[in-house]
Amino acid sequence: MAAKGRGDRQIRFARILGLVFIVAGFAAIGFGWSGMARVACNDCQLPYLLSGGAAGVGLVMIWCSSLVIAQIRLAQLSWQDQVGHINQAVVRVAGLASSGGNGHNEVVAGQSTYHRPECRLVQGKSGLERVTPETAVMNGLSPCRVCNPAVPDTVSAG
């Protein structure tokens, strides 16, 4: 999610920068035109045409490329988000198929961590999904620091 927020800022920045370039481009074209209109001879108009017109067209081209880059970034973020949702769905389906519903060696998946079913941090919470530890790791979840489900239970002999 942090990368998405960063990408949103980059897209917004590219669009704002594009708007600045389009305003500057049309201003340069306008200054070139007004300078050219004040002079009667064709040879005297050429510097205004080159400096104002070429600079303005160049800034408008930068505006166009800035908007294209922003749209490409937006499409890329959308694609990454869709792939992430598909990946989560596949992992969930694979986790449900492999667990078999036997209840052994299952953990409770939270938003960013996974817990043992008896962990005090998930006691009383409803709607939490039970998955295998492997599925939780594949989903990008980290083990709980309180119950530490990554360490297997040890049975004392004695």
Side-chain angles (χ1 to χ4, degrees):
M1 284 291 179
K4 185 174 182 179
R6 181 175 172 258
D8 289 342
R9 284 193 306 266
Q10 287 178 345
I11 291 168
R12 192 176 317 115
F13 178 72
R15 288 181 176 166
I16 291 170
L17 188 64
L19 290 174
V20 169
F21 279 124
I22 190 79
V23 169
F26 283 125
I29 291 172
F31 286 133
W33 183 270
S34 68
M36 198 171 74
R38 285 184 287 194
V39 188
C41 77
N42 290 338
D43 291 337
C44 300
Q45 291 177 347
L46 190 60
Y48 292 107
L49 178 66
L50 291 178
S51 62
V57 170
L59 289 170
V60 170
M61 296 283 288
I62 291 173
W63 166 70
C64 290
S65 54
S66 175
L67 286 183
V68 167
I69 289 171
Q71 285 304 111
I72 290 171
R73 284 183 179 158
L74 184 64
Q76 183 181 16
L77 285 177
S78 174
W79 180 77
Q80 286 174 346
D81 193 39
Q82 289 174 357
V83 168
H85 287 302
I86 291 170
N87 184 28
Q88 288 176 355
V90 167
V91 166
R92 282 191 186 119
V93 169
L96 291 174
S98 67
S99 68
N102 58 8
H104 299 294
N105 198 22
E106 285 187 346
V107 294
V108 178
Q111 290 183 351
S112 61
T113 57
Y114 63 97
H115 309 265
R116 294 179 190 267
E118 64 274 1
C119 180
R120 65 180 169 91
L121 297 177
V122 294
Q123 290 294 317
K125 292 186 179 178
S126 61
L128 296 175
E129 184 179 4
R130 289 182 176 250
V131 296
T132 62
E134 295 81 17
T135 304
V137 170
M138 285 180 14
N139 274 333
L141 302 177
S142 58
C144 172
R145 293 182 181 176
V146 175
C147 65
N148 200 7
V151 177
D153 289 331
T154 57
V155 180
S156 60

